[in-house]
Amino acid sequence: MTATVPAPATELLAGLAGRVPGLRALYEDLHAHPELSFQEVRTAGIVAEQLRAQNWAVTEQVGGTGVVGVLTNGDGPVVLLRADMDGLPVEEQTGLPYASTVRAVDPDGNEVPVMHACGHDMHVTCLLGATAQLAAHREHWRGTVVAVFQPAEEVGGAPAMIEDGFLDRFPRAEVCLAQHVMPVPVGIVVTRPGPIMSASDSFRIRLFGRGGHGSVPEMTVDPIVMAAAVVMRLQTVVSREVGGTETAVLTVGAIHAGTKENIIPDTAELLINIRSTAPAVRDRILRAVERIVHAEAAASGAPQHPEITALPSFPVTFNDPGTTNSVITALGDTLGHQQVVVLPHPLTGSEDFGVFGTALGVPSVMWHFGGTDHALFHGLTLEDLAANGLPADVPTNHSARYAPVPDPTIHTGVTALLAAAAHWLC
Ligand code: ZN
Ligand code: ZN
């Protein structure tokens, strides 16, 4: 006989629908007031105030602007739930009534527009909804929840919290859980056991030539031609040196050289980014980049070796397989199994969430939840989307037009956090 057993999270979800209008107002306020990485002072203040109002023990300024809430509710498992708080230097073009018009000064001293273009405002909103539900329903769970609101995900801010004594200052979690909104139909949750997000490595490459008059190139070593050769040769790394069954991306995202049409400059600079999901592939790509940059400089007769400087990097985000399967079951039991999709491949985006599980030496699980209106998918099924990718007009994370719809994304995000946490707490 198969009786229908209510999902463990059912009791934790009581009253959530009545909480959503307040969460929606919070989301719109956060969306209208985005802050750059490590500048999340206003956001952190709101988070701390709300957690205190919910009777959580609150610690501020962890790793800069990070906020940690702890709610202990008797003996039991310790579960870490994480949200990120930062926006991006993007000029918002959503046309929403609560669109951002904020400008701020970036670390290089430039004034830039700021937008929640990656949906971190949604993550803060959903985690504050989940903490409120946990505080309101203490009789239905036991253990300790550590709610982490981290700064600066976009530049890898998680290590700043670890370096600020995170491991010793807060109860040690036995599992770390996080979610990220993405452009799949609202209500859908996607994840996978094993690698879920790619490693990201970025480099600044300076190529040295010998400048001179544009009319006498034979007197110079042209760094622009050298840079062009490097850019073209780098395109062969993934296509010719990475196997067809592996996932990797190499992008030259910026190229800077020269000032005037008849001056050959002294130097050229490239900014490159590499995504990979297997350490062996990552190593092979990094070696290939170094080999190609040095060889092209030599081929041009460069007077000086190129400089390759590492920029912030992210490790592979790895979902512990056994723990992830438990979370997939918990999410399916609560949201409906047809709403939970197991991805065949890791995503090529990157994350620093894995830093918490790695530092604690415990499993972590990350999933993604849809925030995009079904109408934008023109009736395409999930199978169509998996096979052919998103329609070109669907805004993606980091786009000036990306903003998750509040309803029912907030409800889904809070439900997913509570469903997964309930596997340990209930
Ligand atoms: Zn992002
Ligand atoms: Zn993000």
Side-chain angles (χ1 to χ4, degrees):
M1 175 188 140
T2 53
T4 311
V5 180
T10 305
E11 311 274 14
L12 302 183
L13 294 167
L16 173 57
R19 200 181 295 283
V20 167
L23 291 172
R24 182 179 177 140
L26 169 69
Y27 169 68
E28 293 184 2
D29 177 68
L30 293 172
H31 190 85
H33 299 94
E35 295 169 295
L36 292 174
S37 302
F38 286 120
Q39 299 181 16
E40 309 92 333
V41 175
R42 180 182 185 275
T43 308
I46 291 170
V47 167
E49 184 186 306
Q50 293 225 357
L51 286 173
R52 283 201 183 95
Q54 298 169 10
N55 288 317
W56 288 63
V58 177
T59 308
E60 296 179 74
Q61 297 180 3
V62 182
T65 47
V67 181
V68 179
V70 176
L71 189 60
T72 301
N73 193 26
D75 290 338
V78 182
V79 175
L80 183 152
L81 304 176
R82 176 277 214 166
D84 41 13
M85 302 191 289
D86 51 329
L88 285 159
V90 172
E91 186 138 33
E92 179 153 0
Q93 293 171 18
T94 60
L96 289 166
Y98 51 92
S100 164
T101 55
V102 170
R103 301 186 75 82
V105 177
D106 74 9
D108 297 327
N110 305 310
E111 193 192 282
V112 292
V114 191
M115 174 187 174
H116 266 301
C118 203
H120 298 184
D121 45 353
M122 180 58 72
H123 308 163
V124 172
T125 302
C126 291
L127 184 49
L128 283 173
T131 57
Q133 291 291 112
L134 288 164
H137 296 299
R138 294 175 73 138
E139 70 280 19
H140 294 300
W141 63 279
R142 69 198 155 67
T144 297
V145 177
V146 181
V148 175
F149 295 82
Q150 81 153 72
E153 187 284 324
E154 296 292 348
V155 297
M161 294 190 83
I162 301 297
E163 285 158 21
D164 200 6
F166 182 85
L167 300 182
D168 299 323
R169 292 169 69 186
F170 305 105
R172 287 192 172 231
E174 65 189 67
V175 65
C176 300
L177 305 172
Q179 59 181 1
H180 203 300
V181 70
M182 73 179 285
V184 294
V186 66
I188 298 297
V189 174
V190 306
T191 188
R192 73 189 300 273
I196 175 76
M197 305 290 287
S198 302
S200 172
D201 291 279
S202 296
F203 297 94
R204 172 179 284 117
I205 297 169
R206 279 193 87 195
L207 299 165
F208 298 95
R210 189 169 55 242
H213 201 287
S215 65
V216 283
E218 74 278 15
M219 306 290 289
T220 73
V221 175
D222 188 340
I224 291 180
V225 174
M226 199 189 307
V230 169
V231 170
M232 294 311 293
R233 185 85 198 188
L234 287 177
Q235 306 309 309
T236 68
V237 173
V238 173
S239 69
R240 305 292 83 186
E241 299 194 44
V242 174
T245 57
E246 304 282 359
T247 304
V249 177
L250 191 160
T251 291
V252 181
I255 176 165
H256 301 126
T259 52
K260 197 173 184 297
E261 74 282 2
N262 63 355
I263 301 173
I264 293 169
D266 283 321
T267 63
E269 182 181 275
L270 304 175
L271 297 176
I272 72 168
N273 178 250
I274 296 152
R275 306 292 171 126
S276 59
T277 56
V281 174
R282 175 177 178 271
D283 290 348
R284 201 181 320 149
I285 293 172
L286 298 190
R287 282 201 306 274
V289 167
E290 183 164 7
R291 187 189 77 232
I292 287 167
V293 169
H294 281 95
E296 288 294 352
S300 297
Q304 192 179 333
H305 289 299
E307 282 174 9
I308 303 179
T309 308
L311 301 175
S313 66
F314 296 80
V316 171
T317 307
F318 186 82
N319 278 348
D320 178 76
T323 316
T324 303
N325 287 328
S326 299
V327 168
I328 289 171
T329 302
L331 292 171
D333 286 347
T334 306
L335 293 163
H337 289 276
Q338 73 288 351
Q339 301 296 101
V340 181
V341 177
V342 178
L343 294 168
H345 306 294
L347 301 165
T348 54
S350 302
E351 252 293 336
D352 64 358
F353 162 62
V355 167
F356 291 98
T358 302
L360 286 160
V362 302
S364 54
V365 182
M366 171 164 227
W367 62 90
H368 292 68
F369 62 121
T372 301
D373 198 327
H374 286 259
L376 289 184
F377 296 96
H378 311 300
L380 293 170
T381 64
L382 288 175
E383 289 72 31
D384 296 333
L385 297 175
N388 302 315
L390 296 173
D393 55 347
V394 172
T396 58
N397 300 68
H398 291 206
S399 154
R401 295 185 301 116
Y402 183 69
V405 292
D407 204 19
T409 310
I410 293 169
H411 195 280
T412 303
V414 177
T415 303
L417 284 170
L418 292 172
H423 177 74
W424 285 269
L425 300 172
C426 294

